[in-house]
Amino acid sequence: MKIRLVLLIILVFTIEKGITQINYQLYNDLPQGPVGGGPGYQAEVKYDKSFVLVNSLDELKKALQNSAIKKIFIRGDLQLNIESTLDINTDNLLLASDRGQFDKAGKVLPGAHLFQQNATENRKSFIAVKANNVRITGLRLSSENVKLESAGIGIDPKNGEKKMELEVDNCEMYNWGYAAIQINGSAKNNNSVTSGKVHHNYIHHNNKAGLGYGIIVNYMNANCLIAYNLFDENRHSVSANGRPNEEYTAAYNLTLNNQLGTEYDMHGFSDYNKHDCEALKKCDAYSASNNAGSLVVLQNNAVLSANSFFTLRGIPIKGAFVTNNFYKGQILYRLWRTWSETTPCKLSSPNNKEINLLDKFLWPKYKLFVKQNNLQTKSLHVQYISWSGINKWQPLFFNTLNLDMIASGDFNGDRKTDLFYSNGKKWLVSWNGTTPWESLSTSTYKKDKLIFGDFDGNGITDIFLANGSEWKVSWGGKSEWKQINTFKQKASELKFGDFDGNGTTDVFWANGTEWKVSWGGKSAWERMQTSDLKANQLSIGDFDGNGISDVFFANGFEWKVSWGGKSKWELLHTSTIKSNQLTFGDFDGNGITDIFMANGADWRISWGAKSTWELIQTSTIKTNQLTFGDFNGDRKTDILRFDPFK
């Protein structure tokens, strides 16, 4: 018993060290972008002259048959009905389209659509990958018949003669009766290795009764990394057949809904040996011979709705590790100890009395390690984004932090908005709002005390603090506080902008008598002009696109601007809408500040604060429920909302 305990401790240590390594790789090796891919995905493939451009089905087939062609781009507006399997036999092939890119009007492109309409063969892959190091990205793949047991993309090893690696990313896949993606190892050669990397895909409505997988792992030495995917309405979003060499890691995936079955699944011995009656008779359902794969790692996934989170149908060789997942439901995991109902061998299953008695003694044998999962998901929020305010809502990522403590800025200088979190103990950042939170710094100051701007002009957001006796800055939110001035004015009395166009945030003070500016927050006050308006009555924007901040005032009758804060008031537009009902941003990317209004029925924009209101989208969500920023770096203001899961 002591020897077994020592071995178990070693196994747990080894696997948890492996989980840490997996987590590190997910941060550093995979590209950033929204869960499910699409706009904002940072590894999108754009067409250039290095690609063979495909304009028809015949051209696609010819390109795939030519082993000298390594890069194929399918024109994004194509709809191709493909009745027979497309074979990929070329190593190091990139097959791409333009899913998630924008057209000239700013609308999201869906990517080329390849669909199967009249197929009749079960368990046949629509795209059969028979080569090594293949990447498929930016496509839509669907079946017209979910009742057919067909698969979208499948690795098809040649009797295990070669190493097989497949990457599927930024694709939308739906309506496949068997599986959207199948990662097949060899059925004959135990020395081969098949590896899949499936990330940032939208995989949905693969829900045939009894089958219907988003991703399935099959046969010897097959393993798959599954991350940052958006799942919806699959019977099992991820499953494996349960053979001793099958492994998968699923991390940072978001599932919207699954009412058909378990979200994550690992089959067992009786499933892949259901026709071998002699083997089944020798295999005790409670013994180590009732194998269920090699390794399952489920880490930091969120499931909004499902019958159960994870089903384990036997004993995995290395273990199953379920950590830091978010799931609302009564059943986080099920241990399925009975023989498969589909076996023809008519074996008896343990009765309830036997199960209850043996559970007490045999629980550790299942090698299931569960910790720090959140079953009370009232704190879970899904971040949805509308790109430029004109596109439909898209899930971005998810978090469980207090929304009142979240702000935004660009904390790495990539010209994309990041999310910032402060709770009085630490500051965290989520890059572009699409990555797990990571530490920025430790601080006792919460968001309501802080101002965000670029006070040294290096393109990275700094954090400004005015405490009534001095002004301090934390450079990039990472450095210790540094005093930059000794003024007594607090942040509530101030506005911030770039009033000389040098790329550095200046501090603006309107005290009811005059307007003053401190350049970069470091200089002495410099008088701009006299005015009886105070800072809290004014807004800041760039209404002529010259890179210099202007001062805006809405009095309930008209909108006026003082150019650079120095000129006399000039009329921009007549309007009864006051400043407290308005939001400022650049929604068309022309460098000029536009005005946005959400009235609870629709969203409207006044371009450059000069045009009449233009309806851009119907929505009941009001301005105070929204966050604004450029989350994909296209210089257009995007709209973010946090949708609480109740």
Side-chain angles (χ1 to χ4, degrees):
M1 180 62 70
K2 290 183 179 179
I3 294 175
R4 289 184 179 180
L5 181 60
V6 170
L7 290 175
L8 181 61
I9 292 173
I10 292 173
L11 176 64
V12 172
F13 174 78
T14 302
I15 299 300
E16 292 208 358
K17 183 178 179 182
I19 292 174
T20 302
Q21 180 65 26
I22 289 167
N23 191 45
Y24 174 82
Q25 291 174 344
L26 288 173
Y27 275 109
N28 294 275
D29 292 348
L30 292 180
Q32 294 178 12
V35 59
Y41 178 58
Q42 295 188 10
E44 66 178 8
V45 175
K46 294 186 176 181
Y47 172 74
D48 60 36
K49 292 183 179 180
S50 67
F51 284 88
V52 170
L53 180 63
V54 166
N55 298 286
S56 68
L57 178 57
D58 286 342
E59 289 183 9
L60 175 59
K61 289 180 177 180
K62 289 178 182 179
L64 290 175
Q65 291 168 2
N66 187 343
S67 61
I69 296 175
K70 303 294 185 181
K71 298 175 70 176
I72 301 172
F73 195 94
I74 305 176
R75 206 179 71 208
D77 60 346
L78 289 184
Q79 305 257 346
L80 301 180
N81 178 14
I82 304 173
E83 296 185 7
S84 59
T85 296
L86 291 175
D87 291 327
I88 294 179
N89 295 297
T90 302
D91 290 344
N92 307 310
L93 179 72
L94 171 59
L95 179 63
S97 191
D98 60 6
R99 176 178 182 250
Q101 297 173 34
F102 295 96
D103 64 15
K104 294 180 179 179
K107 291 289 187 179
V108 176
L109 297 172
H113 185 196
L114 280 57
F115 60 96
Q116 187 179 68
Q117 193 169 43
N118 299 313
T120 58
E121 292 186 69
N122 284 328
R123 304 298 175 95
K124 193 84 171 180
S125 293
F126 181 50
I127 298 179
V129 179
K130 303 177 180 180
N132 183 35
N133 193 29
V134 172
R135 179 186 175 194
I136 301 173
T137 183
L139 295 170
R140 284 183 295 155
L141 302 175
S142 71
S143 170
E144 298 296 305
N145 181 12
V146 74
K147 295 181 179 180
L148 182 73
E149 297 177 16
S150 57
I153 299 173
I155 294 181
D156 187 13
K158 296 179 180 179
N159 296 328
E161 294 176 358
K162 60 188 337 184
K163 180 180 179 182
M164 305 289 290
E165 293 183 351
L166 171 67
E167 180 176 11
V168 181
D169 64 301
N170 194 30
C171 289
E172 180 181 359
M173 305 185 66
Y174 56 97
N175 217 44
W176 296 99
Y178 178 53
I181 301 170
Q182 52 179 340
I183 305 298
N184 293 326
S186 172
K188 298 180 180 180
N189 189 335
N190 196 37
N191 295 319
S192 66
V193 176
T194 300
S195 297
K197 186 186 291 184
V198 180
H199 61 95
H200 295 94
N201 299 285
Y202 179 27
I203 301 175
H204 60 100
H205 291 89
N206 305 289
N207 50 21
K208 175 179 168 58
L211 294 171
Y213 308 109
I215 302 162
I216 189 165
V217 180
N218 278 319
Y219 299 118
M220 295 179 183
N221 292 336
N223 65 80
C224 193
L225 173 62
I226 302 161
Y228 300 103
N229 298 288
L230 176 64
F231 295 121
D232 192 17
E233 297 288 357
N234 304 296
R235 178 172 164 268
H236 300 315
S237 286
V238 181
S239 186
N241 230 347
R243 291 175 176 82
N245 305 88
E246 295 172 3
E247 302 182 356
Y248 69 82
T249 293
Y252 302 108
N253 301 288
L254 171 63
T255 299
L256 300 179
N257 187 47
N258 176 2
Q259 294 301 319
L260 297 174
T262 298
E263 180 64 12
Y264 297 97
D265 190 30
M266 174 62 83
H267 283 251
F269 183 88
S270 64
D271 293 297
Y272 64 86
N273 281 290
K274 60 187 177 183
H275 295 286
D276 190 343
C277 299
E278 291 302 315
L280 291 178
K281 289 177 182 177
K282 296 176 182 178
C283 175
D284 181 354
Y286 294 93
S287 71
S289 59
N290 185 21
N291 178 252
S294 177
L295 173 68
V296 179
V297 177
L298 303 177
Q299 180 186 23
N300 293 93
N301 302 286
V303 177
L304 301 190
S305 178
N307 287 332
S308 62
F309 182 81
F310 176 48
T311 294
L312 182 62
R313 304 172 189 249
I315 304 170
I317 293 172
K318 297 178 183 177
F321 296 84
V322 183
T323 61
N324 296 101
N325 298 284
F326 305 92
Y327 168 67
K328 181 182 179 181
Q330 299 299 315
I331 305 173
L332 178 67
Y333 58 86
R334 295 188 301 168
L335 300 181
W336 197 322
R337 300 170 179 80
T338 58
W339 297 120
S340 171
E341 295 177 359
T342 61
T343 180
C345 301
K346 299 180 180 180
L347 299 173
S348 61
S349 299
N351 59 41
N352 289 336
K353 184 177 180 181
E354 291 172 327
I355 290 174
N356 293 334
L357 180 63
L358 291 172
D359 275 354
K360 180 177 180 181
F361 300 102
L362 296 175
W363 179 270
K365 285 190 175 182
Y366 273 80
K367 298 179 184 176
L368 175 63
F369 305 95
V370 180
K371 67 176 184 179
Q372 296 177 343
N373 297 283
N374 189 341
L375 303 185
Q376 303 299 321
T377 53
K378 292 181 180 179
S379 60
L380 182 67
H381 295 81
V382 178
Q383 294 152 208
Y384 286 88
I385 195 160
S386 172
W387 303 103
S388 306
I390 64 174
N391 288 288
K392 65 181 182 180
W393 289 114
Q394 174 189 347
L396 197 65
F397 203 57
F398 52 90
N399 74 76
T400 58
L401 302 181
N402 187 333
L403 300 184
D404 293 334
M405 300 177 184
I406 293 178
S408 59
D410 180 4
F411 295 94
N412 58 2
D414 65 353
R415 297 188 178 183
K416 300 174 185 177
T417 301
D418 310 307
L419 293 181
F420 170 92
Y421 170 80
S422 63
N423 64 357
K425 295 181 180 179
K426 55 188 175 182
W427 292 344
L428 303 176
V429 65
S430 171
W431 305 112
N432 314 143
T434 65
T435 68
W437 294 97
E438 62 181 70
S439 177
L440 195 63
S441 184
T442 57
S443 176
T444 59
Y445 288 99
K446 296 183 180 181
K447 186 196 79 170
D448 59 348
K449 302 293 183 182
L450 306 174
I451 295 295
F452 302 86
D454 182 4
F455 293 90
D456 56 4
N458 67 349
I460 297 175
T461 297
D462 310 306
I463 299 178
F464 175 95
L465 177 69
N467 60 15
S469 61
E470 60 183 354
W471 294 351
K472 299 189 290 185
V473 170
S474 171
W475 304 110
K478 296 179 180 179
S479 76
E480 298 292 329
W481 289 112
K482 181 177 180 180
Q483 179 182 307
I484 62 170
N485 221 320
T486 56
F487 290 134
K488 297 181 180 180
Q489 288 82 5
K490 295 183 179 180
S492 59
E493 305 173 58
L494 307 171
K495 293 289 183 181
F496 298 81
D498 181 4
F499 292 93
D500 55 5
N502 68 350
T504 301
T505 299
D506 308 310
V507 183
F508 173 90
W509 181 35
N511 59 13
T513 302
E514 57 185 355
W515 295 350
K516 297 181 179 180
V517 64
S518 171
W519 305 108
K522 300 172 185 177
S523 75
W525 288 118
E526 182 176 312
R527 183 178 176 278
M528 300 177 77
Q529 65 169 299
T530 59
S531 174
D532 60 355
L533 297 175
K534 295 185 178 181
N536 62 2
Q537 298 174 279
L538 304 170
S539 300
I540 307 296
D542 181 3
F543 296 95
D544 56 5
N546 66 349
I548 296 175
S549 294
D550 309 308
V551 180
F552 174 94
F553 177 55
N555 59 12
F557 301 99
E558 55 190 6
W559 294 345
K560 299 188 292 185
V561 64
S562 170
W563 303 110
K566 296 179 180 179
S567 75
K568 294 181 178 180
W569 289 117
E570 183 175 314
L571 179 67
L572 283 173
H573 195 58
T574 57
S575 176
T576 59
I577 309 299
K578 295 185 177 180
S579 294
N580 60 359
Q581 298 173 269
L582 305 174
T583 297
F584 300 81
D586 182 3
F587 293 90
D588 55 5
N590 67 351
I592 298 174
T593 299
D594 309 307
I595 296 185
F596 171 93
M597 180 180 67
N599 59 16
D602 52 45
W603 293 350
R604 298 174 183 268
I605 286 181
S606 172
W607 303 106
K610 297 177 181 179
S611 75
T612 57
W613 289 115
E614 180 177 324
L615 175 68
I616 61 168
Q617 194 168 150
T618 57
S619 177
T620 59
I621 300 175
K622 296 183 178 181
T623 305
N624 60 1
Q625 299 172 277
L626 303 171
T627 297
F628 298 82
D630 180 6
F631 291 91
N632 62 353
D634 65 354
R635 301 187 179 183
K636 297 179 182 179
T637 299
D638 308 308
I639 302 176
L640 183 70
R641 91 173 196 259
F642 298 93
D643 193 10
F645 181 62
K646 300 176 182 178

